[in-house]
Amino acid sequence: MTIQVLRELGPLRRQVGAIRAEGKRLGVVLTMGALHEGHLSLAREAATENDEVLVTVFVNPTQFGPGEDFSRYPRDLDQDAALADSAGATLLFAPSAASMYPEGEETRVVLSQVSRGLCGDFRPGHFEGVATVVSKFFNVIGEGIYYLGQKDYQQWRLIEQLARDLLFPVKIVGLPTVRDHDGLAMSSRNQFLSPEERQLALRVPLALQAALDLYRLGQRRTRDVEGKMQEVLGGAPVQIQYAELRHAQTLAPLPDTFSGSVVAAIAVLIGKTRLIDNLVLSVDAVDPIPSAIGGAE
Ligand code: AMP
């Protein structure tokens, strides 16, 4: 294993400084760890386009609300280092909460429009925590290409907006959602699901696929597409937080009848586990959910 694991801000700053001094390109993947194929696809892409790839692992306390799964969020740094290494990452940065949030800190970064609705409604303070910690990473790491997953669609839009608004010297690249063989979007939280719950979770990609099917048949009535998603998600034990269509760029709510491409976004609770997923609906949609339909292999 050749990856270098750093735990402190000072060595990290020195290391990225040296990379820059040598004129090398730096790719960055920000994560909360418990790495899976979704994260690794970002690291692999970063490795093809850059000389050095930095993966961060930080379970950011400020983006979790009271009663959420901060304390039980999976953590395994050794395994993360091995996986990141195998995907071509050269540096892993796993800071302590105390170094990211120094004693007495009181600064938060707040975005207005893009953090409203969808997850913003169900996780008060979540996007403030995300914007704050990402701003800190942008400051510490600096210039580079940052690879984000479209799986966290609202977060991706928010970070793009943040980078633009605060003039961070970063380029943001959003990459497609990686799914399991049966269509379920990969997530560190999938490991919380019992076999029965995992089966129920397949309703999420099926609902998105149903929305895409309707869209392709020419359906452009917002409520009808949203109703279809809710129907496929079914009722208990799948608790729907939202199943909505939004403007794909701005995330603004849609009029009764929409045109152009939109994003279908879903959040559900299955037992204690919260899952999110989304699919961009457009005439040339290229994010298929291959085997969710018909129960897969
Ligand atoms: P997380 O560790 O869940 O905070 O995710 C870190 C990064 O990996 C974010 O940019 C996510 O959008 C991305 N990511 C997580 N799951 C997936 C997935 N299934 N496919 C692609 N990217 C993902």
Side-chain angles (χ1 to χ4, degrees):
M1 200 161 81
T2 54
I3 195 166
Q4 196 182 346
V5 178
L6 301 168
R7 307 297 307 261
E8 305 293 336
L9 293 172
L12 191 266
R13 284 188 199 271
R14 281 196 288 282
Q15 199 56 252
V16 291
I19 289 170
R20 228 159 266 133
E22 288 174 45
K24 289 179 170 173
R25 283 161 67 96
L26 178 66
V28 184
V29 181
L30 305 175
T31 84
M32 297 205 300
L35 300 185
H36 51 67
E37 266 307 306
H39 301 115
L40 301 182
S41 71
L42 305 181
R44 274 190 214 106
E45 180 66 17
T48 65
E49 296 179 352
N50 298 277
D51 305 301
E52 303 272 348
V53 176
L54 166 64
V55 172
T56 67
V57 171
F58 182 61
V59 186
N60 173 36
T62 63
Q63 70 189 69
F64 289 80
E68 292 190 349
D69 55 0
F70 174 69
S71 52
R72 71 172 186 136
Y73 200 85
R75 293 163 169 89
D76 186 343
L77 193 58
D78 290 342
Q79 180 171 300
D80 286 344
L83 288 171
D85 182 75
S86 74
T90 50
L91 287 169
L92 187 141
F93 179 49
S96 65
S99 48
M100 293 303 284
Y101 293 94
E103 178 92 41
E105 57 90 23
E106 52 178 278
T107 303
R108 291 292 176 272
V109 178
V110 182
L111 287 88
S112 42
Q113 204 57 42
V114 68
S115 56
R116 295 210 184 107
L118 303 178
C119 289
D121 284 351
F122 290 89
R123 303 189 70 186
H126 169 68
F127 286 122
E128 190 175 309
V130 170
T132 301
V133 81
V134 171
S135 299
K136 289 170 187 259
F137 279 121
F138 284 165
N139 271 329
V140 176
I141 300 164
E143 211 170 307
I145 308 181
Y146 289 69
Y147 296 82
L148 306 182
Q150 295 176 11
K151 152 83 165 49
D152 298 274
Y153 197 90
Q154 191 173 14
Q155 174 174 285
W156 169 49
R157 306 298 324 158
L158 175 127
I159 292 173
E160 282 200 323
Q161 186 78 39
L162 170 73
R164 256 203 313 272
D165 291 355
L166 293 189
L167 315 178
F168 285 114
V170 300
K171 180 179 170 195
I172 306 293
V173 175
L175 295 177
T177 300
V178 176
R179 299 177 179 282
D180 235 324
H181 65 278
D182 54 8
L184 185 65
M186 297 233 177
S187 164
S188 303
R189 292 189 166 97
N190 290 353
Q191 55 184 278
F192 295 142
L193 299 169
S194 69
E196 296 74 28
E197 288 175 335
R198 201 186 174 297
Q199 207 51 37
L200 288 168
L202 290 181
R203 291 185 192 174
V204 174
L206 283 169
L208 293 171
Q209 184 65 50
L212 180 60
D213 292 344
L214 272 188
Y215 177 90
R216 285 185 169 158
L217 287 170
Q219 178 59 265
R220 296 292 184 274
R221 277 192 297 274
T222 307
R223 246 192 247 151
D224 289 2
V225 181
E226 291 177 342
K228 184 69 188 175
M229 289 198 286
Q230 280 165 6
E231 182 192 316
V232 176
L233 289 171
V238 174
Q239 191 185 320
I240 303 172
Q241 288 195 335
Y242 61 77
E244 284 182 40
L245 297 187
R246 292 281 175 132
H247 189 285
Q249 290 299 316
T250 62
L251 293 185
L254 300 177
D256 293 345
T257 304
F258 62 88
S259 59
S261 65
V262 299
V263 62
I266 290 177
V268 296
L269 271 175
I270 301 179
K272 283 184 176 165
T273 307
R274 186 171 185 277
L275 300 177
I276 58 170
D277 199 354
N278 68 81
L279 193 62
V280 173
L281 312 184
S282 72
V283 275
D284 51 4
V286 284
D287 188 11
I289 303 182
S291 46
I293 292 193
E297 299 107 86

